[in-house]
Structure formats: C-alpha cells, structure tokens
Amino acid sequence: MTVPPGRRERKKAATRQKIADTAMRLFLERGYDAVGIRDVAAEADVAVTTVFSHFASKEALVFEQDEDFEHRLTQAVTGRAPDEPLMPALRREIHALVRHCTAEGAAPTWRMIEESPALREYEESMRLRHAESLATAIAADPDLPQTTTACRTIARFVIDAYSLAREAADPEAAVDEIFRMIEAAWEVASPSRRARGTARAATSR
Amino acid sequence: MTVPPGRRERKKAATRQKIADTAMRLFLERGYDAVGIRDVAAEADVAVTTVFSHFASKEALVFEQDEDFEHRLTQAVTGRAPDEPLMPALRREIHALVRHCTAEGAAPTWRMIEESPALREYEESMRLRHAESLATAIAADPDLPQTTTACRTIARFVIDAYSLAREAADPEAAVDEIFRMIEAAWEVASPSRRARGTARAATSR
DNA sequence: TGTTTAATGCTAACCGTTAGTGTTACGGTC
DNA sequence: GACCGTAACACTAACGGTTAGCATTAAACA
C-alpha cells in the first residue's frame, strides 16, 4: 500500500503530485484567478491535456488534499466502536476536521477559497456529495432504523455543521453548539432507540 | 407597480423576458447542453452581450423564475402574525414552495436541472445565499434571542428541508418529517423560550 | 523480442464570458 | 421642438477552461 507495485503507476502518481504541488504554489503566489491552466501545465512541464487527465477541473486542483474528507466521515460511522452511539462519533470527527482546516498552515489556502466564487461553489457541491455518502453509511447501519429521509437529513446537518463552524468566530464552540441541535433532531428521528417520550414531548406543539 | 413608468424600462423588461422565454424554450426543446448562448442570442434576435447584460450567466437563465424564492422565505419570517411562532410559518412556506416546484408543469424544467451538473451546482450555491438571507431575517427578530450560529444553522436546515423534500418520494410528508427534526433543534437552541429544561435534558451527554 | 496498453503530448477547436468601442433611442431640460 | 446626457444594445475580438482527435512514448506482458 505504501509502495505502488509498478513503475508506471509510480510515475503516474509522481506526475499527479507534481501538477498538484505546482498548481497550489502558483495559486498561492499569484492568486487563483491570475493563474491559468496553461501556466500550471508549463510550470509543471506537462501538457494541458495531462492536467485534465489527472484532475477533472481547475477547482479540483485546490481540493486534492480534501480527498479523504468523505472517507473519514463514513469511517466515523461504519468504523466506530460497536457500542458507541452515532452522534458522539460524528461530533468527534467534525471537531477534528474543523481543527484541521482552521490550523495555522491552512489559512492562506482557506482565504483563497473564500475569495473565489468558483472555488466556493465547487466546494459546496463537493460537500453535498459527501453528505450523500454519509447518508448512505448511516442508512446502512443496522442499529439505526431510520427512514431514508431522516438519514439524508442528518447527513446534511452534519455537513452544515462543518461549513458553519469553520466560519464561526470560535469554531470549536460552534461545533458543539450545532451538534446539540443536531442531536435533538436525531432523537426526534429515532423514536425507537431509548428515548422514553422525552424527545417527542419537547417537540409537540 | 404594474405598469412601468417609461417606455425605456418597458422595452428593457420586454427584451429580458424575450431572452428568458427563448432560452427556456430552446433548453427544453434541445437540452440545456445542446444550446449555446450564441443560439439563444440569435433566436431572440439580440447580441450575445445583451444576454449577459440581463443575466449573469447561462445558468441564471434557467432560474429566473426562482427569483422570489429568497423574498418569500424572509417574508415568511418578518411578515408573520405577531403572535405566530417561527417554525409553523417557515414550515407552511416550505410546504408551498415544495408544492410549487413539484407541480405538473414544472416537471420538465426540474428534470433538466437534475440532469445538468452545472445547473445543480448553480442552484446549490444560490440556495446557500438564500439561507444567509433567511438567517439574517431570523436574527433580526427581537422575539428570537438566538445566537448568530443558531440562526445560521436553522436557516441552513430549512433550506436542506426544501432540497431534500423535493427529491423525496412523498415531498409533502418529507417536509413534515424534516420539520419535526428542525423544530427539535430549534427548541434546543432557544432555552429561554418556554422549554423548562426538557429540551436541554434530552441532549445532555 | 514483439505486442499491447496506458500515459502523455500536440493541435485545434468549442463555448461561456468579458473588454473595448460604437450606435441608437429614450428622458429630462432649455 | 431642439438639445444633450445616458442607458440599452450591437459588433468585434479576445481570454480562459475544457475537450476531441490523433501521434508518440514507455511500461507491462507474452
């Protein structure tokens, strides 16, 4: 797993990495809009078509490091301890993800994304795809007998928590604040778990 | 208000309408991707630059009718009866909006949006802007002493409800199911309203 | 060795979008 | 009614992301 089997795949991975590194360097140096794909290709010494054979779009170059986001979220659901409830596991993972993207070194990249409408749009769309994966993972858990709609809803809420907390003044506190809300929503959606009417009574109008 | 004041503005509105109508007709006839801006401009007998002076992008041509979405949502908050709680008002509005976009005549347009990644991305981004407006409206209500984070969170949840319900097998039922969850989240976020510790107890770990 | 295949390169183009520059017609003013 | 400022629109040309088509190289494999 650490060493790719063949030389061909190693070279391919190296090319991909070189393109991604070159792109991010140029983007941070000159600004995302000021750097064209042709610039990236020239600086990485590859053809424009090669860039697009590795990355589906210019925006994808920026979010290459965000690739495992989806996997970490689903893993937090499917790989949690057998007796651990869903919400604490998700909350812990979101905490870690928020901490990761609000860390010192990530600031320039994050500012660049904030300032580019194209990058914001791309990320939003990407997060919704992640939410769908998360919803599938939640729905597949035999211990969580939710409706499909409830699973998709909670998954969206979790993604919302990530997006909103990242922009909050105190991201860590925001995660907790939002997750208190999500947990209440989750309790309402799972009347058969252990709630003895408490959650339902809280929402009866 | 019903009759524009000058001939100039009337002509401008007519041009805009002609462009929008022509575009939607061509999109539905030949498919969104198969119709170029140059086609729309030619068919509407205007210059390409005129199209872009009325619409910011090709996608915006499709969502022209969706313009009042944002206004209806904020109006549901700021214009509700003085003693009406927030959630029933929002739920009623989302019901109406979902019903509107799942109506018979809207089916081809909706299918076109579903099938085009560019249109989906545009809409998602647009809805997030709507969520921000809604959050501002909620935060401005003196009867709702929420934190900024709570207002933004609830606003996102409401937008999520719209997006998810629209895709559900039974949209109307989905709205109710999701709003039960949102109301629970809202109760947790507003400990000072009338909840006497019930909601808080439901989420204490 | 020879054959197959995947990665990359090159060229040219498509399409959304915009800048620059006129041209026209409306609206208010004398 | 003539006059001028301005806003809508047209035309040209270009920029930049993206892709198709085809050639080339080098790895994998028999």
Side-chain angles (χ1 to χ4, degrees):
Chain A
M1 185 75 76
T2 53
V3 176
R7 183 178 312 170
R8 195 177 226 168
E9 298 187 23
R10 247 179 297 129
K11 283 201 173 182
K12 183 178 181 179
T15 300
R16 180 191 169 90
Q17 197 60 43
K18 185 176 183 182
I19 294 170
D21 292 346
T22 303
M24 280 307 292
R25 180 168 59 78
L26 292 184
F27 289 159
L28 291 174
E29 278 175 12
R30 311 179 196 169
Y32 180 75
D33 289 330
V35 177
I37 289 289
R38 291 164 178 86
D39 298 329
V40 174
E43 185 84 6
D45 199 29
V46 295
V48 172
T49 48
T50 301
V51 175
F52 283 107
S53 77
H54 285 277
F55 300 92
S57 66
K58 186 187 179 186
E59 294 91 44
L61 285 164
V62 174
F63 292 99
E64 197 236 353
Q65 50 190 345
D66 239 284
E67 260 183 347
D68 59 342
F69 185 98
E70 185 175 359
H71 180 255
R72 286 184 62 172
L73 269 186
T74 57
Q75 195 63 23
V77 174
T78 61
R80 71 190 198 277
D83 59 343
E84 187 180 23
L86 176 69
M87 280 303 152
L90 277 175
R91 189 211 295 238
R92 190 159 22 84
E93 192 59 41
I94 293 293
H95 259 299
L97 289 167
V98 167
R99 215 175 297 124
H100 182 264
C101 81
T102 55
E104 274 303 310
T109 301
W110 170 237
R111 196 176 313 114
M112 182 178 83
I113 295 169
E114 261 187 326
E115 287 167 358
S116 164
L119 288 176
R120 292 188 70 107
E121 231 176 282
Y122 181 89
E123 180 177 10
E124 289 154 8
S125 185
M126 183 180 69
R127 300 297 175 206
L128 286 195
R129 289 201 309 275
H130 297 166
E132 283 306 301
S133 295
L134 178 57
T136 304
I138 294 174
D141 192 317
D143 295 340
L144 309 173
Q146 312 300 331
T147 65
T148 301
T149 295
C151 292
R152 298 185 73 201
T153 302
I154 287 296
R156 288 256 194 154
F157 287 6
V158 170
I159 296 296
D160 288 338
Y162 173 79
S163 301
L164 289 170
R166 218 172 40 168
E167 297 176 6
D170 184 344
E172 301 271 346
V175 171
D176 288 326
E177 181 176 1
I178 300 173
F179 258 85
R180 280 194 292 275
M181 299 169 73
I182 298 179
E183 283 175 19
W186 177 247
E187 289 295 326
V188 170
S190 56
S192 63
R193 267 182 88 213
R194 90 182 58 165
R196 281 177 294 274
T198 313
R200 293 194 81 70
T203 58
S204 64
R205 293 185 292 141
Chain B
M1 186 74 76
T2 54
V3 177
R7 182 179 314 171
R8 196 177 228 169
E9 299 188 23
R10 246 179 298 130
K11 285 201 173 184
K12 181 178 181 180
T15 300
R16 180 192 168 90
Q17 197 60 43
K18 186 176 183 183
I19 294 170
D21 292 347
T22 303
M24 280 307 292
R25 180 169 59 78
L26 293 184
F27 289 159
L28 291 174
E29 279 175 12
R30 312 180 195 168
Y32 180 74
D33 289 330
V35 177
I37 289 290
R38 288 163 178 86
D39 299 328
V40 174
E43 185 85 5
D45 199 31
V46 296
V48 172
T49 48
T50 300
V51 176
F52 282 108
S53 76
H54 285 278
F55 301 91
S57 66
K58 186 187 179 186
E59 294 91 42
L61 285 165
V62 174
F63 291 98
E64 198 235 354
Q65 51 190 343
D66 237 285
E67 260 184 346
D68 59 343
F69 185 97
E70 184 175 359
H71 180 255
R72 285 184 62 172
L73 269 186
T74 57
Q75 195 63 24
V77 175
T78 61
R80 71 190 198 278
D83 59 344
E84 188 179 22
L86 175 68
M87 281 302 152
L90 278 176
R91 189 212 294 239
R92 189 157 23 83
E93 192 58 42
I94 292 294
H95 259 300
L97 289 167
V98 166
R99 216 176 295 124
H100 183 265
C101 80
T102 56
E104 274 302 310
T109 301
W110 172 236
R111 197 176 313 114
M112 182 178 82
I113 294 168
E114 261 187 326
E115 288 167 359
S116 164
L119 288 176
R120 292 188 69 106
E121 230 176 281
Y122 181 89
E123 180 176 11
E124 290 153 7
S125 184
M126 183 180 69
R127 300 298 176 207
L128 285 197
R129 290 199 309 275
H130 296 167
E132 283 305 302
S133 295
L134 178 57
T136 304
I138 295 173
D141 192 317
D143 295 341
L144 309 173
Q146 312 300 332
T147 65
T148 301
T149 295
C151 292
R152 299 186 72 201
T153 303
I154 287 297
R156 287 256 194 156
F157 287 6
V158 170
I159 296 296
D160 288 337
Y162 173 79
S163 301
L164 290 170
R166 219 171 40 169
E167 298 175 6
D170 184 343
E172 302 270 346
V175 171
D176 288 328
E177 181 177 1
I178 300 173
F179 259 85
R180 279 194 293 276
M181 300 169 73
I182 297 180
E183 283 175 19
W186 176 246
E187 289 294 327
V188 170
S190 57
S192 63
R193 268 183 88 212
R194 89 183 59 168
R196 280 177 297 272
T198 313
R200 292 195 81 72
T203 59
S204 65
R205 291 186 291 142

